Amino acid sequence: MSEKKQNEGFSSLFGFLLTVIGFAVGVGSLWRFPYVCGTNGGALFILTYVLVIVLVGIPLLTAEISMGYVSQKTAIGAYQTLKPGSKWYMASYLHILVALLIFCYTVPIYVWVLAYIWRTATGFFAGLDAAGIAQSFEALSGDPKTMFLFAIINWALIAIIVSGGVQKGVEKVNKFLLPALAVIMVVCIVIGLNVEGSSKGLAYMFKPDLSSFSFDAVTAATGQAFFALGLAMLGSMIFGSYIKDKKANILKQASIVSGSIVAAGLAAGMMIFPMVFAFGLEPGAGTGLTMITLPNVFNYITGGRIIGTLFYVGFYFAALSSAIGIGEAIAAVFMDLFHISRKKAVALVMAFAVVIGSCSILIPGFLDTVDNITGNYLLVISGLLIDIFVAWIWGADNFLDAIHVEKKALRIWLKASVKYLCPIAIVIILAGNFLQ
């Protein structure tokens, strides 16, 4: 019996929920949601995003978790168990590739946030104007010594946590990270809403404006839902295999995770947009919103150094919870695939992280190029394969029977979604990406 089967499994469904929420909430909600929302019209984007989550996100997340839950296997074994003798297990290699790339190439984001925790806490940004902050960010990205210093800290934290296993490592840490993140977000929201002029940010988020809405916003909302839920990134399938309760309500768990992701995205927007509008800054500032725009805000508000430090600590907590989730998923696959111990699997995962992450740090444009290929194409195709497999190869009825969905209305919704709505939504994402 493998180490995974002897030792792995969540202590409770609550542990599962925290781990999957932590895996999904990370960079997708705190970093990506505000700028995607800001560049696609605000309120109507949010409404579209919530609709996509309900119609597509929950069913597809349920399907992915169910593959692991029903088979009690990691990705390759899940396909082989649910459809013996078929070649569909080969799709799992794409899932592994996507997860590995996302885990490795995103290291500069973790490095920037760690550096910003230090810089904000020590008053590095004090006295710098917008141009000075932008120049300091460019200088940081071009400073290999500083980047690798914080990268080593990040890699070490991830390796230590994932080496601890599911219950003593990933689950235990997320029981601290997620509540701490929630508290930090609430504190930042309350402080931000008390800044004069912050109400304009709330209006931007929650007051619909048809003039700012387009088909591009629909494709962006669909893509954001996909990214934020962590669909086809291997984690949800692996964590499903760790659920040992045979009577678990997988649809309910997926719905709670999805609701939490929506709430996290809205909270991130409420942390950022009120302060952005209060200071007359540009809400559609893209990725620079977090790293260039907000330090300006923290420079000018009372207690900005403390608030800014809290913000970036919360940001790193979210990013770390996501990283350890993906790291755990890849390590689990490596343990099963190569029949090695957890320590050896983690060492192999981190070796990939160092090699690919170093390319991301040292090679200009590497991060953006790999992010474009992975996020816009490989990830989406990976999700399409999961959907086709569950709906048409394993079979929608078999899927629903296996997770004990008995109510007729729920069966109709899930069946229609995985067979028709999900593939249509995924094709929309791909079409939008190719047209761009």
Side-chain angles (χ1 to χ4, degrees), residues 19-207:
T19 302
V20 177
I21 291 170
F23 160 69
V25 75
V27 176
S29 292
L30 264 73
W31 173 66
R32 201 172 189 270
F33 181 87
Y35 88 75
V36 173
C37 178
T39 53
N40 288 281
L44 284 176
F45 171 85
I46 292 172
L47 291 174
T48 306
Y49 175 66
V50 172
L51 187 63
V52 170
I53 289 283
V54 172
L55 294 179
V56 176
I58 294 175
L60 197 51
L61 181 61
T62 304
E64 185 173 350
I65 294 172
S66 297
M67 286 182 65
Y69 172 68
V70 174
S71 67
Q72 289 291 292
K73 301 284 179 63
T74 58
I76 298 171
Y79 280 101
Q80 292 174 331
T81 300
L82 298 174
K83 196 64 179 179
S86 78
K87 298 292 184 181
W88 271 90
Y89 72 90
M90 296 180 70
S92 61
Y93 293 111
L94 178 59
H95 308 328
I96 296 167
L97 174 64
V98 168
L100 194 58
L101 286 174
I102 291 173
F103 178 74
C104 298
Y105 80 78
T106 52
V107 70
I109 299 170
Y110 299 86
V111 169
W112 294 333
V113 177
L114 281 173
Y116 269 51
I117 292 172
W118 173 255
R119 289 183 168 189
T120 307
T122 57
F124 176 90
F125 297 117
L128 292 179
D129 58 12
I133 292 172
Q135 288 172 1
S136 73
F137 177 67
E138 290 178 9
L140 171 64
S141 300
D143 179 2
K145 289 183 180 179
T146 303
M147 291 289 285
F148 274 109
L149 171 64
F150 286 109
I152 290 168
I153 294 171
N154 180 67
W155 288 326
L157 284 172
I158 294 170
I160 291 168
I161 294 168
V162 177
S163 293
V166 178
Q167 292 184 25
K168 294 181 180 180
V170 178
E171 183 180 345
K172 185 176 181 180
V173 170
N174 274 317
K175 284 181 178 179
F176 164 75
L177 289 181
L178 270 293
L181 172 61
V183 171
I184 290 171
M185 292 180 80
V186 169
V187 170
C188 289
I189 289 169
V190 171
I191 292 171
L193 291 178
N194 281 291
V195 177
E196 186 178 351
S198 61
S199 59
K200 294 179 182 178
L202 292 180
Y204 176 79
M205 283 188 68
F206 298 114
K207 184 179 179 180

Side-chain angles (χ1 to χ4, degrees), residues 178-249:
L178 270 293
L181 172 61
V183 171
I184 290 171
M185 292 180 80
V186 169
V187 170
C188 289
I189 289 169
V190 171
I191 292 171
L193 291 178
N194 281 291
V195 177
E196 186 178 351
S198 61
S199 59
K200 294 179 182 178
L202 292 180
Y204 176 79
M205 283 188 68
F206 298 114
K207 184 179 179 180
D209 178 11
L210 285 171
S211 66
S212 64
F213 192 70
S214 66
F215 180 73
D216 286 345
V218 176
T219 60
T222 307
Q224 174 59 25
F226 213 89
F227 193 91
L229 287 172
L231 296 171
M233 292 185 192
L234 196 65
S236 297
M237 193 185 301
I238 301 300
F239 299 143
S241 75
Y242 291 165
I243 301 174
K244 304 307 175 186
D245 182 354
K246 294 182 179 180
K247 296 182 180 179
N249 187 331

Side-chain angles (χ1 to χ4, degrees), residues 106-435:
T106 52
V107 70
I109 299 170
Y110 299 86
V111 169
W112 294 333
V113 177
L114 281 173
Y116 269 51
I117 292 172
W118 173 255
R119 289 183 168 189
T120 307
T122 57
F124 176 90
F125 297 117
L128 292 179
D129 58 12
I133 292 172
Q135 288 172 1
S136 73
F137 177 67
E138 290 178 9
L140 171 64
S141 300
D143 179 2
K145 289 183 180 179
T146 303
M147 291 289 285
F148 274 109
L149 171 64
F150 286 109
I152 290 168
I153 294 171
N154 180 67
W155 288 326
L157 284 172
I158 294 170
I160 291 168
I161 294 168
V162 177
S163 293
V166 178
Q167 292 184 25
K168 294 181 180 180
V170 178
E171 183 180 345
K172 185 176 181 180
V173 170
N174 274 317
K175 284 181 178 179
F176 164 75
L177 289 181
L178 270 293
L181 172 61
V183 171
I184 290 171
M185 292 180 80
V186 169
V187 170
C188 289
I189 289 169
V190 171
I191 292 171
L193 291 178
N194 281 291
V195 177
E196 186 178 351
S198 61
S199 59
K200 294 179 182 178
L202 292 180
Y204 176 79
M205 283 188 68
F206 298 114
K207 184 179 179 180
D209 178 11
L210 285 171
S211 66
S212 64
F213 192 70
S214 66
F215 180 73
D216 286 345
V218 176
T219 60
T222 307
Q224 174 59 25
F226 213 89
F227 193 91
L229 287 172
L231 296 171
M233 292 185 192
L234 196 65
S236 297
M237 193 185 301
I238 301 300
F239 299 143
S241 75
Y242 291 165
I243 301 174
K244 304 307 175 186
D245 182 354
K246 294 182 179 180
K247 296 182 180 179
N249 187 331
I250 302 302
L251 174 58
K252 179 181 177 181
Q253 308 307 318
S255 300
I256 293 172
V257 170
S258 300
S260 300
I261 297 309
V262 171
L266 293 177
M270 290 176 69
M271 274 200 308
I272 292 173
F273 290 128
M275 290 191 287
V276 166
F277 276 86
F279 288 91
L281 301 172
E282 174 55 52
T287 57
L289 190 66
T290 306
M291 297 300 169
I292 298 173
T293 302
L294 285 179
N296 284 283
V297 175
F298 299 138
N299 269 345
Y300 288 99
I301 60 177
T302 303
R305 187 182 296 188
I306 296 172
I307 298 165
T309 303
L310 273 177
F311 173 83
Y312 289 114
V313 168
F315 194 154
Y316 185 71
F317 280 2
L320 181 62
S321 67
S322 181
I324 61 177
I326 301 178
E328 167 61 31
I330 302 168
V333 170
F334 282 179
M335 282 190 282
D336 276 0
L337 186 61
F338 301 119
H339 306 291
I340 56 178
S341 69
R342 171 171 287 275
K343 287 185 178 180
K344 289 181 180 178
V346 172
L348 183 58
V349 171
M350 298 316 298
F352 277 109
V354 171
V355 172
I356 299 174
S358 296
C359 293
S360 232
I361 291 171
L362 295 172
I363 302 174
F366 184 88
L367 172 64
D368 291 337
T369 301
V370 179
D371 183 61
N372 178 56
I373 295 170
T374 304
N376 292 334
Y377 303 102
L378 297 181
L379 180 63
V380 181
I381 294 169
S382 183
L384 182 61
L385 292 175
I386 289 174
D387 181 73
I388 292 172
F389 178 81
V390 171
W392 299 98
I393 307 303
W394 181 19
D397 286 318
N398 291 331
F399 151 57
L400 296 173
D401 290 341
I403 60 170
H404 319 297
V405 177
E406 297 176 354
K407 292 184 179 179
K408 187 175 181 180
L410 291 178
R411 289 183 72 94
I412 291 173
W413 162 46
L414 288 171
K415 193 172 182 178
S417 184
V418 296
K419 292 187 76 171
Y420 307 111
L421 288 178
C422 288
I424 290 172
I426 294 171
V427 169
I428 287 173
I429 298 173
L430 280 173
N433 292 338
F434 277 112
L435 289 175

